[in-house]
Amino acid sequence: MWRGLWTLVARAARGPGRPCARQGSGAPAPGSGATIFALSSGQGRCGIAVIRTSGPASGHALRSLTAPRELPRARSASLRLLTDPRPREPLDRALVLWFPGPHSFTGEDCAEFHVHGGPAVVSGVLQALGESTAWGSRSGPASGPGWGPGSQHPGPSRSLAFAHGKLSLTEVEGLADLIHAETEAQRRQALRQLDGELGQLCGGWAETLTKALAHVEAYIDFGEDDNLEEGILERADSQVRELEVALDTHLRDARRGQRLRSGAHVVVTGPPNAGKSSLVNLLSRKPVSIVSPEPGTTRDVLETPVDLAGFPALLSDTAGLREGQGPVEQEGVRRARERLEQADLILAVLDASDLASPSSCNFLDTVVTPAVARSPSGNSQRLLLVLNKSDLLPPGGPDLSPELPPHLLLSCLTGEGLDGLLEALRKELAIVCGNPSTGPPLLTRARHQHHLQGCLDALGHYKQATDVALAAEALRVARGHLARLHGGGGTEEILDIIFRDFCVGK
């Protein structure tokens, strides 16, 4: 969220008479920790640029650069004249906001300067912040806890928000995904993760594990106590079995969330001159591929990221499938078949006016029919058959002899049938990527899948354990994976549950 090369870290040396950064809060004054500042709204000319600071010296920096010198009312915009504190020259007239910690995004004192977005204005304000007495007498970037001299730390505000408990790790990832979202589906998924749905799901799993571990620990420590409830281990076994089912369900579905985040691989294929390149240009809304009546124009795989019906996709235009007429075309055909094996969704294109040709019949037999037979079996490759050049058909429609699989009519020339194709693509991609609007939150990163698999493996060790102590250790390992996935969890929680659920220590 804090971008560019302007991220500086400084430790303010509290000088004589320097005011406290958090007035009335009892918090430390400038000099007790690191303060960072950066251009938050990105580089380039714009109407308004936002510069943010975070750390104990933020309040002093705000007073140093603005007139009057008192801090504005918390969380309210105030119009102030910004001046360079040393030469006292005006820099800009800007809106400023004050967010005293811990009620801020990072949990620290924060200030925002909404300045005019010209490069000279932004540079001047950043330079004034760097040279302000709020950062101490030392010039240039200094070092602070966790930051090296002059370091350019990626997303420092998100790191601080996580470190101060404002955001969980999955929520930080959701915020990053929301910033980089390019399609409607990505935005919806990222917003759900930022709202904490994945973290809440993992938190529920962690709570189940904590209870099971507490039951096992209670049996180990107080197994001889008459006040201990019977069936404790059986209860833990039941909780573990339910959790295994939930984890297994999400792991089997893990690839969908990763496709939603990075894009599904959609491969356009077909015999030569079926209109594959025209379809790629139509879907991408730009001239990605050369369109020519000469067969074999496309000899390599051309890829472009596109927004298909609200879903992210990597669209691949491939060489026409036929016996190559030379070494270059033969290599193109080989690469096209290789891409077909990697595809999440295949757009098979045929010339609707030439369905009886040998190339069309061979393509139907070798590519379309096998893929259609496989697709209902599960999450394997899916296929949409598109009959292009429908504008060349007679009024009676295409010749359906031999009988064709389910298909869509399209004219890349006139655009007729495009809406139907986009709706079909939306339905198929919702299956391939998952629907971000419904169902449980998706696992969008390989890290999520790794920790859930580690948790599931540890639960398998729990079931195979021949000793209660080993079973408890397996549960601790499983719980550790969930803790690393979303953060949180400690031994205090286990002790709380032990003494809450059992009559121990009375």
Side-chain angles (χ1 to χ4, degrees):
M1 190 169 180
W2 293 36
R3 303 186 223 170
L5 303 180
W6 294 100
T7 302
L8 301 178
V9 182
R11 181 182 297 273
R14 187 177 183 182
R18 180 160 297 169
C20 178
R22 296 187 178 99
Q23 292 180 335
S25 66
S32 61
T35 298
I36 63 172
F37 63 94
L39 176 62
S40 176
S41 54
Q43 300 289 340
R45 290 178 175 84
C46 54
I48 297 295
V50 180
I51 297 172
R52 284 178 175 160
T53 74
S54 178
S58 294
H60 188 75
L62 185 54
R63 282 190 292 264
S64 296
L65 268 68
T66 59
R69 295 287 177 252
E70 65 270 11
L71 292 174
R73 190 157 55 96
R75 290 171 291 280
S76 295
S78 178
L79 182 64
R80 297 287 180 91
L81 176 67
L82 302 186
T83 58
D84 193 319
R86 286 188 175 178
R88 308 311 307 172
E89 293 182 356
L91 295 169
D92 191 17
R93 191 172 295 276
L95 285 178
V96 298
L97 294 99
W98 168 239
F99 301 94
H103 304 295
S104 67
F105 177 74
T106 64
E108 299 180 329
D109 285 350
C110 293
E112 286 188 5
F113 301 82
H114 294 226
V115 302
H116 292 97
V121 175
V122 173
S123 177
V125 174
L126 289 169
Q127 185 174 356
L129 284 170
E131 295 177 353
S132 169
T133 55
W135 315 107
S137 59
R138 177 178 176 179
S139 63
S143 60
W147 308 87
S151 66
Q152 298 162 12
H153 191 281
S157 66
R158 290 195 296 269
S159 301
L160 291 172
F162 171 69
H164 295 141
K166 291 293 183 177
L167 294 174
S168 70
L169 188 54
T170 53
E171 288 170 346
V172 170
E173 291 172 331
L175 176 58
D177 290 345
L178 185 62
I179 292 172
H180 293 97
E182 296 182 348
T183 69
E184 182 68 15
Q186 287 176 321
R187 181 191 64 79
R188 291 178 180 177
Q189 167 60 28
L191 192 58
R192 288 184 67 184
Q193 188 165 327
L194 176 58
D195 286 342
E197 291 192 25
L198 180 58
Q200 291 167 12
L201 180 65
C202 294
W205 291 336
E207 184 178 355
T208 299
L209 267 181
T210 301
K211 289 181 178 179
L213 180 55
H215 294 163
V216 176
E217 293 279 11
Y219 182 85
I220 293 173
D221 294 337
F222 309 104
E224 302 299 326
D225 197 313
D226 293 337
N227 292 325
L228 199 63
E229 299 178 20
E230 295 185 2
I232 290 177
L233 293 182
E234 289 77 5
R235 193 181 309 171
D237 290 342
S238 175
Q239 292 168 337
V240 168
R241 284 194 299 269
E242 292 177 2
L243 183 58
E244 276 187 308
V245 173
L247 293 179
D248 185 63
T249 299
H250 277 77
L251 280 170
R252 281 189 276 116
D253 206 27
R255 277 284 294 144
R256 295 204 304 169
Q258 293 181 45
R259 292 191 193 103
L260 179 60
R261 181 170 175 266
S262 59
H265 193 182
V266 180
V267 175
V268 180
T269 186
N273 270 11
K276 302 182 297 300
S277 297
S278 297
L279 178 57
V280 169
N281 292 345
L282 184 64
L283 292 177
S284 60
R285 297 184 291 276
K286 59 184 178 181
V288 175
S289 303
I290 297 175
V291 176
S292 169
E294 178 184 345
T297 303
T298 302
R299 298 189 175 191
D300 203 348
V301 178
L302 301 177
E303 296 182 330
T304 182
V306 296
D307 179 345
L308 287 183
F311 287 87
L314 182 64
L315 193 61
S316 297
D317 185 16
T318 60
L321 299 183
R322 66 171 181 175
E323 293 297 327
Q325 302 301 305
V328 175
E329 187 175 355
Q330 288 175 4
E331 175 62 18
V333 172
R334 186 195 67 79
R335 294 186 181 188
R337 296 189 185 279
E338 185 180 71
R339 283 296 193 279
L340 277 179
E341 297 176 358
Q342 302 167 356
D344 298 313
L345 174 62
I346 298 173
L347 276 180
V349 184
L350 285 174
D351 184 344
S353 64
D354 192 26
L355 294 177
S357 67
S359 59
S360 295
C361 292
N362 180 64
F363 180 74
L364 284 169
D365 292 339
T366 58
V367 176
V368 176
T369 301
V372 170
R374 290 193 306 266
S375 60
S377 62
N379 292 328
S380 58
Q381 286 179 324
R382 305 189 66 84
L383 181 141
L384 282 176
L385 178 59
V386 179
L387 303 186
N388 187 32
K389 304 184 183 180
S390 61
D391 54 293
L392 301 180
L393 293 176
D399 181 10
L400 300 182
S401 180
E403 191 69 27
L404 287 172
H407 58 275
L408 298 162
L409 285 176
L410 173 71
S411 172
C412 289
L413 181 64
T414 66
E416 184 178 359
L418 179 60
D419 290 341
L421 174 60
L422 290 176
E423 178 61 21
L425 282 170
R426 185 190 65 78
K427 293 179 180 178
E428 292 293 328
L429 289 173
I431 296 172
V432 170
C433 299
N435 190 337
S437 301
T438 60
L442 298 170
L443 307 177
T444 56
R445 296 172 184 256
R447 187 184 72 83
H448 302 163
Q449 187 175 2
H450 167 74
H451 285 303
L452 285 193
Q453 185 62 58
C455 181
L456 190 61
D457 293 342
L459 295 183
H461 295 153
Y462 165 83
K463 292 194 303 183
Q464 298 170 5
T466 57
D467 182 80
V468 182
L470 293 177
E473 180 61 25
L475 291 181
R476 275 191 287 270
V477 171
R479 189 169 173 272
H481 277 288
L482 290 183
R484 286 190 291 273
L485 199 159
H486 76 103
T491 56
E492 293 80 5
E493 296 179 43
I494 302 173
L495 295 176
D496 288 344
I497 292 177
I498 288 177
F499 289 98
R500 185 186 65 203
D501 288 0
F502 308 112
C503 299
V504 175
K506 284 188 176 180

